[in-house]
Structures are given as C-alpha cells and as structure tokens.
C-alpha cells in the first residue's frame, strides 16, 4: 500500500515523533508506515485521515 | 493536531511492562521455592510441596494475565513484532522439541531429553525473533 504520510507530515511541519504522539503510536510505527514496510490498521488509517482532515483514500492508496 | 484520547499510551505501556516484570519476578521466586523448598526448607513434606506448587501456578496465571495486558497496551506494529516472534518461537520449539524428543526415544543421544532444554530453545528463539523484528521495522 502506498501512502502520502511523509508528504502530509512535512506539509504540516510535524516530526515523526509528533505525528506518532498525535496518532497514539510509536515513532517506529510512523517510520515503518512511511517507508512502506508496514500497513496501518483501518482504525489507525482513519485516525490519520481525521488528523489531516482528508479522505482516507487520499492518504492511503492500494498499489 | 493532537488526538486527546491517545495521549498516555506510552505511560500505560510502561506501567503494564512494570507489572509484567513484577509478576515475572514473583513467578521466578515461587518456581525457586517449589524447586528447592522440598530439599532445603521443608524436608520433602508433601503438603508444603503441594502448597508451593499451587502458589507457583497461581502466580504463573497472574503473570500470563499481566503479559496479555502488556501486549494489549502496545501499538499495532509492536504487537505485530511480538506476534511474529511468538509464532517463530512456538514453531521452532515444536519442531526442535519433537526432533529432540525423537533423538531421545530412538536412543541417538545419551541421557534424557529435559524440559529445561525446550524452555531454553523457546526463550532464545523468541529473543532472536524479537531482535530481528525490531531490526526489520527500524
């Protein structure tokens, strides 16, 4: 699964640690998602969508 | 930007990890009591041995419950790393344990297959899988 998390994080001037704290996960998880090593659960994806005020499919795209 | 309902999950994880450490330590102590008590403390009295073993099992159950709570307090990637490590540990213990047992029953090795060796395999494979899992998602 592709995602725009890194771009959105940069646009919102957030560090990985800040985004991790906002989403209630570890920085390692954010890093793994950004690198495409780990696909987030649906609840976490929705949480990210709420945080960035974007539709979920504009952040995460099926390959 | 902060989601308020996920604030202190790291504090919660630390708390649950401490609880798990306390219960694990208590279980190790009760295991030592049940193992060495009959010889060193109560001269193999069956009633005391039974009580010590019962205490060991009860504390063990609380340790397992603390382990479950600690796992639930982890975030989803950490849970996946733990789950993968448990799968590898369970699989390798089963396969190597059966192989080891067959070596014993077919008299290929001298001496008896010991359960402690199985626990060592389980612990080492779990530890190795955890380290590999952490490295994989770093």
């Amino acid at each position: 699964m592709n995602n725009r998390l890194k771009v959105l994080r940069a646009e919102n001037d957030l560090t990985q640690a800040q985004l991790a704290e906002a989403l209630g996960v570890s920085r390692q998880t954010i890093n793994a998602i950004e690198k495409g090593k780990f696909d987030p659960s649906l609840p976490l994806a929705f949480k990210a969508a709420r945080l960035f005020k974007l539709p979920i499919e504009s952040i995460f795209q099926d390959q | 930007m902060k989601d308020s309902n996920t604030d202190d999950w790291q504090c919660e994880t630390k708390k649950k990890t401490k609880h798990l450490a306390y219960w694990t330590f208590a279980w190790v102590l009760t295991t030592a009591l049940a193992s060495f008590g009959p010889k060193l403390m109560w001269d193999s009295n069956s009633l005391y041995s039974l009580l010590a073993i019962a205490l060991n099992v009860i504390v063990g159950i609380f340790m397992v419950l603390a382990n479950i709570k600690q796992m639930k307090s982890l975030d989803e990637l950490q849970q996946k790393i733990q789950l993968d490590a448990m799968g590898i540990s369970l699989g390798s213990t089963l396969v190597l344990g059966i192989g080891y047992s067959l070596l014993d029953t077919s008299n290929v090795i001298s001496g008896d297959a010991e359960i402690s060796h199985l626990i060592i395999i389980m612990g080492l494979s779990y530890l190795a899988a955890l380290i590999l899992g952490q490295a994989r998602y770093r």
Side-chain angles (χ1 to χ4, degrees):
Chain A
M1 193 162 69
N2 291 324
N3 70 79
R4 294 177 54 230
L5 214 56
K6 191 172 184 177
V7 175
L8 291 167
R9 183 169 62 75
E11 283 174 2
N12 286 274
D13 202 22
L14 289 170
T15 63
Q16 283 188 341
Q18 286 169 331
L19 180 59
E21 192 185 1
L23 295 177
V25 294
S26 63
R27 193 199 60 76
Q28 184 187 15
T29 300
I30 299 298
N31 187 49
I33 294 170
E34 284 185 0
K35 287 184 174 174
K37 289 180 178 177
F38 175 68
D39 291 333
S41 66
L42 207 50
L44 181 57
F46 272 114
K47 207 181 267 187
R50 274 200 304 275
L51 186 75
F52 291 117
K53 297 183 175 63
L54 288 169
I56 196 166
E57 61 271 21
S58 71
I59 304 176
F60 301 97
Q61 296 92 29
D62 197 12
Q63 271 180 332
Chain B
M1 294 293 278
K2 196 167 175 179
D3 194 336
S4 61
N5 63 359
T6 54
D7 268 359
D8 292 321
W9 74 275
Q10 282 179 316
C11 289
E12 192 64 17
T13 300
K14 278 182 190 169
K15 198 172 96 180
K16 300 283 192 234
T17 305
K18 272 185 190 171
H19 286 171
L20 176 59
Y22 297 149
W23 280 112
T24 305
F25 184 66
W27 178 75
V28 169
L29 283 182
T30 58
T31 304
L33 183 70
S35 299
F36 302 116
K39 199 173 178 182
L40 302 175
M41 293 171 75
W42 54 79
D43 199 24
S44 298
N45 183 307
S46 294
L47 177 65
Y48 288 134
S49 293
L50 194 66
L51 287 173
I53 293 166
L55 179 68
N56 176 245
V57 170
I58 290 165
V59 172
I61 290 168
F62 279 101
M63 179 183 71
V64 171
L65 293 174
N67 199 4
I68 292 169
K69 284 181 184 171
Q70 196 267 347
M71 293 283 175
K72 285 182 176 173
S73 75
L74 298 174
D75 83 349
E76 55 190 69
L77 176 61
Q78 291 165 340
Q79 283 182 358
K80 179 180 165 38
I81 292 170
Q82 290 285 341
L83 186 66
D84 288 350
M86 284 178 185
I88 290 167
S89 177
L90 178 66
S92 53
T93 304
L94 180 72
V95 171
L96 294 176
I98 295 290
Y100 182 46
S101 173
L102 288 172
L103 285 174
D104 180 25
T105 53
S106 57
N107 291 320
V108 176
I109 54 169
S110 57
D112 295 328
E114 299 288 341
I115 189 77
S116 57
H117 296 161
L118 210 60
I119 293 168
I120 291 168
I121 292 170
M122 187 181 274
L124 289 179
S125 60
Y126 184 62
L127 187 66
L130 264 187
I131 292 168
L132 286 174
Q134 291 289 349
R136 185 180 171 196
Y137 293 107
R138 193 154 293 278

